[in-house]
Amino acid sequence: MCDTVVATREATVDGSVILAKNSDREPNEVQLLHHIPASSFANPGDLQCTYLKIPQAARTAEALLSRPAWMWGCEMGANAAGLCIGNEAVFTREPYAKTGLTGMDLLRLAVERTSRASDALALITELIGRYGQGGNCGYKGKLYYHNSFIIADKKEAWVLETAGRHWAAQKVRGVQSISNGLT
């Protein structure tokens, strides 16, 4: 199982926010640490995510990502502003879409395009509403799922849980964790 945990300022001795994540991707699936410099695009055009093309942002933030080598998106990432996000697969009775933005695409887009946890939450939910989430996330086989996220910056953290185009969010006070089921 994958797990992500966050401790907010209320729960740490020094008032810092701490996010940690582990991963249980398939055996032999290469996981890359990928540094992305900040960029500006005069004529942004389209951006190819794992399965969909969407409009490119005019500016993107410097980021460090941990991602499966074959996917555009990432399982966890942090940007130069201190925004950190981890995601988990969640399995529900809601149907899984054959195409859409993967949870890893949503995470990377938020890390590259926002600097605060609340803005990342707003962007991910807006993108789910516009493009939906979906697509095969299995390395060798077929694996479809929905996603949950912990989104944290230097001041606050949120848990975001999704199923299809539905979502629920809760602000974290203290310590919170997510795994492969809805909380």
Side-chain angles (χ1 to χ4, degrees):
M1 294 183 75
C2 286
D3 306 286
T4 302
V5 62
V6 67
T8 63
R9 297 187 307 174
E10 299 86 3
T12 60
V13 172
D14 64 356
S16 62
V17 175
I18 301 168
L19 183 130
K21 178 176 175 18
N22 70 356
S23 175
D24 69 347
R25 299 294 300 174
E26 295 177 46
N28 300 317
E29 181 179 29
V30 175
Q31 187 95 339
L32 301 174
L33 268 181
H34 188 164
H35 172 257
I36 304 206
S39 297
S40 296
F41 304 94
N43 299 307
D46 286 336
L47 171 67
Q48 179 64 55
C49 298
T50 302
Y51 297 115
L52 295 183
K53 283 185 181 179
I54 68 168
Q56 174 61 282
R59 294 177 168 266
T60 58
E62 179 180 15
L64 181 62
L65 312 172
S66 179
R67 67 178 184 84
W70 65 275
M71 294 184 86
W72 181 83
C74 62
E75 274 201 277
M76 58 195 101
N79 69 23
L83 174 69
C84 301
I85 307 175
N87 94 307
E88 312 301 332
V90 290
F91 302 95
T92 74
R93 286 184 243 157
E94 190 71 20
Y96 303 107
K98 297 294 182 201
T99 190
L101 291 171
T102 68
M104 290 187 239
D105 291 342
L106 293 162
L107 190 159
R108 180 172 175 176
L109 289 164
V111 167
E112 288 188 356
R113 296 178 178 200
T114 65
S115 59
R116 296 180 337 158
S118 58
D119 294 336
L121 172 68
L123 178 65
I124 292 170
T125 56
E126 188 267 323
L127 290 169
I128 287 172
R130 184 180 299 172
Y131 300 105
Q133 63 176 313
N136 179 28
C137 292
Y139 173 54
K140 297 223 177 195
K142 301 284 185 197
L143 181 62
Y144 294 87
Y145 51 79
H146 304 295
N147 295 273
S148 63
F149 305 85
I150 290 185
I151 307 165
D153 63 28
K154 297 172 188 176
K155 295 183 178 176
E156 66 178 358
W158 290 86
V159 170
L160 171 62
E161 297 183 326
T162 71
R165 293 181 187 255
H166 308 286
W167 59 270
Q170 181 177 31
K171 191 169 186 174
V172 177
R173 288 174 179 39
V175 177
Q176 181 69 38
S177 66
I178 57 174
S179 195
N180 295 119
L182 298 175
T183 59

